[in-house]
Amino acid sequence: MSRAFNFSPGPATLPEPVLRQAQAEMLEWRNARASVVELSHRGPEFLQVARQAEADLRMLLSIPDDYAVLFLQGGATAQQALIALNFAAPGQQADYVLTGHWGLTALKQAAPYVDARIAADGETGGYRDIPPRAGWRLSDDAAYVHYTANETIHGVEFREVPEVGNVPLFADFSSSIAAEPLDVSKFGLIYAGAQKNLGPVGIAVVIVRRDLLERAGQPRAPIFDYRAHLAGESMLNTPPTWNWYLLGLTVKWMLDEGGVAEFARRNARKAALLYQAIDGSGGFYRNEVAPAARSRMNVPFFLHDPALDAAFLGEAAEAGLISLKGHRVLGGMRASIYNAMPEAGVQALAAFMRDFQQRHG
Amino acid sequence: MSRAFNFSPGPATLPEPVLRQAQAEMLEWRNARASVVELSHRGPEFLQVARQAEADLRMLLSIPDDYAVLFLQGGATAQQALIALNFAAPGQQADYVLTGHWGLTALKQAAPYVDARIAADGETGGYRDIPPRAGWRLSDDAAYVHYTANETIHGVEFREVPEVGNVPLFADFSSSIAAEPLDVSKFGLIYAGAQKNLGPVGIAVVIVRRDLLERAGQPRAPIFDYRAHLAGESMLNTPPTWNWYLLGLTVKWMLDEGGVAEFARRNARKAALLYQAIDGSGGFYRNEVAPAARSRMNVPFFLHDPALDAAFLGEAAEAGLISLKGHRVLGGMRASIYNAMPEAGVQALAAFMRDFQQRHG
């Protein structure tokens, strides 16, 4: 067998050089005479791994010094509960902008702790566009405004950071962090599960403006306290060391490849190629998202005849293109084309789509 | 370089065959044409990995069918908060038996949610023994009784499961799960971070009697709800797939080696050898824990002259024996000798200790 082009939405494909380095170091990390996964998180070797990963991530994303970076467990979903506990008074209003499945998940995780309001909801349009900013119902008293930068299921992405006034803007960037340059200073908090664009599963990143950590929040266990995690350098308890290490390798790879500016160019080319393959198919394939809101990272599409879905998936797999089945919420197909997906993979997919259409059209 | 005997308390040494298999499969898992770390958690390949790991863990630990098994993030520490949220009414009493550092941590994590009472505290004796059962102050109204089966810092271990009447017994087994046969049916709940005796960091196991999951608990986010995690087969959100996979490989290795009965024999021999090396040193080395409460997993010891500590650690490392420095709370030395530490490692340590004493005694 050989490696396929893997369009999985997350966990997702990793850069092959990262996997090869992890493979080479699996039994012994440098001179440690042990694997990274066996090293104490408090020993000098792992501290070096952890600190280098943070320094590289700060460089990759141009994170200002007045922002703290946390490396945590629980994925993005746990952060969706923790942001309410850490930054809102009990029952305080928080405004949620919904542009797909994950925005609603964020609201549900916070709902036990805050007065979670829907400021805008794209559901009436089938989550095919971003509700116009003018119609958002925001409160000046809200603890924060939350939105989902990229919706992995519905394939809807904000291409600009919305203006929300003085209330801190919180955003789930799980599936589009590092996809292009971003002005972090526009945000109060950014969080992301790493398993899409930052590498491995099992670790999440929180980037938070330091002054917000002075908010009292709500009664909570120390392990749910971001301030405590920061004071403990994200080692309040044993962190997921190997995952942190793999994140570091992936971030370093992105820097070596040219950083987010270069990935923005590659991602624009990849997305354009794939949407052209869909739009140019004369209706054989379709994507219903408004062009200005189309995701560069997750491209859902449907065959004109769902009876062809199984053949499409089977033949694609034979052609070395895997994990193209759409999310069960939407059905159809979905190609996730994160930073680690090479342009050759998207070219191969577009070519396969044309070929499949010729044979089944 | 070559691999050393690694006495790290956790993350800890892994069986070399497990690391070699993970290395061999790093770029491609079986016929998946992708690494395990790249596979969707909802795809058939990873579901196979996850279910096999649970089946093997159930066999290894003889877990009865009326107990659920959860694979979660956040380590043992997050579970210490979550057990209060899931199994106690707001402010309900919960009884904690403290025999070291981690029992107190467990109490602190639960304290925001329950009336956490200290039922017994070994601190007055410097955590060198287990407070006699007759003196424990337990309430019939408590939501649960919590104890720490093995204290990794103080090296104090319960060798029998305490009788606590009708209140469910909850226990932190992070550092001694699978060290010997255990009657799970005596417990309401057992939890363990995996990074000591079950393999990798970044994943924790919760074994809970199913009827307890019907307790209302307290208002909490869905991601903090054990019932929801069970309903979602521990995939309520993206689980730490690679860590789960490595746990599965480690559990399978333990089964292949003969299961917990065999590890109980090996662990008894390893611990006896090391305590003999300490007790037989004429005071050059000392361990102050009452013999009946001495841990088989973590053996803290002190040199008669702390000025020799640096030389001991340096010469040990040269002899291929690493991570022997004691926890900062206690100082001195500590040898963690979990299931994956071969008897040859403990033999080498005991021989080194004798040799060091001859040269520096």
Side-chain angles (χ1 to χ4, degrees):
Chain A
M1 305 300 289
S2 64
R3 285 173 56 79
F5 289 119
N6 173 13
F7 296 90
S8 175
T13 194
L14 281 161
E16 193 167 309
V18 166
L19 290 173
R20 291 202 181 279
Q21 183 169 349
Q23 182 177 48
E25 296 175 340
M26 180 55 71
L27 272 82
E28 294 191 52
W29 185 80
R30 299 190 182 177
N31 296 326
R33 294 187 284 171
S35 173
V36 169
V37 74
E38 299 173 304
L39 290 173
S40 170
H41 53 296
R42 301 202 187 278
E45 298 93 347
F46 184 73
L47 286 179
Q48 182 185 339
V49 169
R51 288 173 181 160
Q52 190 64 49
E54 178 174 340
D56 287 345
L57 186 68
R58 283 183 174 277
M59 178 175 297
L60 180 73
L61 301 178
S62 302
I63 300 172
D65 288 344
D66 57 331
Y67 284 71
V69 179
L70 301 174
F71 296 86
L72 301 174
Q73 294 190 63
T77 314
Q79 313 319 316
Q80 290 167 346
L82 295 178
I83 58 178
L85 283 172
N86 279 271
F87 301 109
Q92 186 181 1
Q93 181 170 337
D95 290 331
Y96 283 78
V97 177
L98 309 186
T99 53
H101 178 86
W102 297 110
L104 188 61
T105 299
L107 182 148
K108 286 179 181 170
Q109 298 298 334
Y113 308 117
V114 295
D115 177 12
R117 302 280 184 96
I118 299 176
D121 191 352
E123 192 187 12
T124 48
Y127 291 130
R128 295 196 187 95
D129 204 351
I130 292 168
R133 172 66 188 84
W136 296 11
R137 297 173 298 280
L138 300 178
S139 164
D140 289 343
D141 299 328
Y144 54 82
V145 179
H146 181 283
Y147 79 107
T148 311
N150 179 62
E151 285 281 355
T152 53
I153 295 176
H154 290 88
V156 172
E157 183 175 12
F158 280 82
R159 301 308 304 272
E160 298 198 344
V161 179
E163 290 289 340
V164 296
N166 290 325
V167 174
L169 185 61
F170 285 18
D172 178 354
F173 262 88
S174 291
S175 48
S176 59
I177 194 167
E180 68 182 348
L182 182 71
D183 183 354
V184 172
S185 73
K186 290 185 174 174
F187 294 86
L189 182 145
I190 288 170
Y191 64 93
Q195 73 273 13
K196 298 168 191 294
N197 234 0
L198 291 181
V201 68
I203 191 164
V205 168
V206 174
I207 302 164
V208 55
R209 219 175 62 210
R210 293 182 193 273
D211 65 297
L212 291 171
L213 291 168
E214 289 163 25
R215 288 194 184 179
Q218 313 191 16
R220 57 196 182 276
I223 193 71
F224 296 152
D225 189 311
Y226 280 166
R227 252 178 316 199
H229 280 290
L230 179 61
E233 293 190 70
S234 299
M235 297 188 192
L236 196 57
N237 64 334
T238 311
T241 51
W242 192 83
N243 313 64
W244 198 336
Y245 152 78
L246 207 64
L247 181 150
L249 295 185
T250 308
V251 168
K252 177 70 164 54
W253 173 80
M254 288 193 269
L255 287 171
D256 291 346
E257 291 286 307
V260 289
E262 170 60 16
F263 281 100
R265 290 187 286 271
R266 294 184 192 177
N267 290 331
R269 290 195 295 267
K270 290 189 293 182
L273 186 63
L274 195 45
Y275 284 112
Q276 279 161 14
I278 295 165
D279 294 343
S281 71
F284 189 86
Y285 305 108
R286 71 174 195 283
N287 169 289
E288 297 172 341
V289 177
R294 282 176 163 181
S295 170
R296 296 155 306 169
M297 298 280 103
N298 310 95
V299 181
F301 60 94
F302 303 88
L303 276 67
H304 76 103
D305 179 1
L308 290 173
D309 284 3
F312 184 91
L313 290 167
E315 294 180 25
E318 281 174 30
L321 309 165
I322 64 172
S323 299
L324 283 162
K325 191 176 182 183
H327 192 279
R328 62 188 184 281
V329 167
L330 280 189
M333 306 294 148
R334 174 174 49 170
S336 295
I337 50 175
Y338 302 119
N339 285 4
M341 171 58 66
E343 293 189 65
V346 179
Q347 288 159 359
L349 174 58
F352 168 78
M353 288 168 68
R354 281 189 298 272
D355 179 62
F356 183 85
Q357 181 176 359
Q358 282 176 357
R359 287 182 287 107
H360 296 274
Chain B
M1 306 299 290
S2 64
R3 285 174 56 78
F5 289 119
N6 173 13
F7 296 90
S8 176
T13 195
L14 281 161
E16 194 167 308
V18 166
L19 290 174
R20 290 201 181 281
Q21 183 169 350
Q23 182 177 49
E25 296 176 337
M26 180 56 70
L27 273 81
E28 295 191 51
W29 184 79
R30 300 190 182 176
N31 296 325
R33 293 187 285 171
S35 173
V36 168
V37 74
E38 300 173 303
L39 290 174
S40 170
H41 52 296
R42 301 202 187 278
E45 297 93 348
F46 184 73
L47 285 179
Q48 182 185 340
V49 169
R51 288 172 182 162
Q52 190 64 49
E54 178 174 340
D56 287 346
L57 186 67
R58 283 183 174 277
M59 179 177 296
L60 181 73
L61 301 178
S62 303
I63 300 172
D65 288 344
D66 57 330
Y67 284 71
V69 180
L70 302 174
F71 297 86
L72 301 173
Q73 293 190 65
T77 314
Q79 313 319 316
Q80 291 167 346
L82 294 178
I83 58 178
L85 283 171
N86 279 271
F87 301 109
Q92 187 181 2
Q93 180 170 337
D95 290 330
Y96 283 78
V97 177
L98 310 187
T99 53
H101 178 86
W102 296 110
L104 188 60
T105 299
L107 182 148
K108 286 178 180 170
Q109 298 297 336
Y113 308 117
V114 295
D115 177 14
R117 301 283 183 93
I118 299 177
D121 191 352
E123 192 186 14
T124 49
Y127 291 130
R128 294 196 188 94
D129 205 350
I130 291 167
R133 172 65 190 83
W136 295 10
R137 296 173 299 281
L138 300 179
S139 165
D140 289 342
D141 299 328
Y144 53 82
V145 179
H146 181 282
Y147 80 107
T148 311
N150 180 62
E151 285 280 355
T152 52
I153 295 176
H154 291 88
V156 172
E157 183 175 11
F158 279 83
R159 302 307 305 272
E160 298 198 346
V161 179
E163 289 291 339
V164 297
N166 290 326
V167 174
L169 184 61
F170 285 18
D172 179 354
F173 262 88
S174 291
S175 49
S176 59
I177 194 167
E180 69 180 350
L182 181 70
D183 183 354
V184 172
S185 73
K186 290 184 175 175
F187 294 86
L189 182 146
I190 289 170
Y191 64 93
Q195 73 273 13
K196 298 169 190 293
N197 234 1
L198 292 181
V201 69
I203 191 164
V205 168
V206 174
I207 302 164
V208 55
R209 220 175 61 211
R210 293 183 194 272
D211 65 296
L212 291 171
L213 291 168
E214 290 162 26
R215 289 193 185 180
Q218 312 190 17
R220 57 196 183 276
I223 194 70
F224 296 152
D225 189 311
Y226 280 165
R227 253 178 315 200
H229 280 289
L230 179 61
E233 293 190 71
S234 299
M235 297 188 191
L236 196 56
N237 65 335
T238 311
T241 50
W242 192 84
N243 313 63
W244 198 336
Y245 153 76
L246 207 64
L247 181 150
L249 295 184
T250 308
V251 168
K252 178 69 163 56
W253 173 81
M254 288 192 271
L255 286 172
D256 290 346
E257 292 285 308
V260 289
E262 171 61 16
F263 282 101
R265 290 187 286 270
R266 295 184 192 177
N267 290 330
R269 290 195 295 266
K270 289 189 294 183
L273 187 63
L274 195 45
Y275 284 113
Q276 279 161 15
I278 294 165
D279 295 342
S281 71
F284 189 86
Y285 305 107
R286 71 176 194 284
N287 168 290
E288 296 172 341
V289 176
R294 281 174 163 182
S295 170
R296 296 155 306 168
M297 298 279 103
N298 310 95
V299 181
F301 60 94
F302 303 88
L303 276 68
H304 76 101
D305 179 1
L308 290 172
D309 284 2
F312 183 91
L313 290 168
E315 294 180 27
E318 281 175 30
L321 309 164
I322 64 172
S323 299
L324 282 162
K325 191 176 181 182
H327 191 278
R328 62 188 184 282
V329 167
L330 280 189
M333 306 296 148
R334 173 173 49 167
S336 295
I337 50 175
Y338 301 120
N339 285 3
M341 171 59 67
E343 293 190 68
V346 179
Q347 288 159 359
L349 174 58
F352 169 78
M353 288 169 69
R354 281 189 297 273
D355 179 61
F356 184 86
Q357 181 177 359
Q358 281 175 359
R359 286 181 288 107
H360 296 274

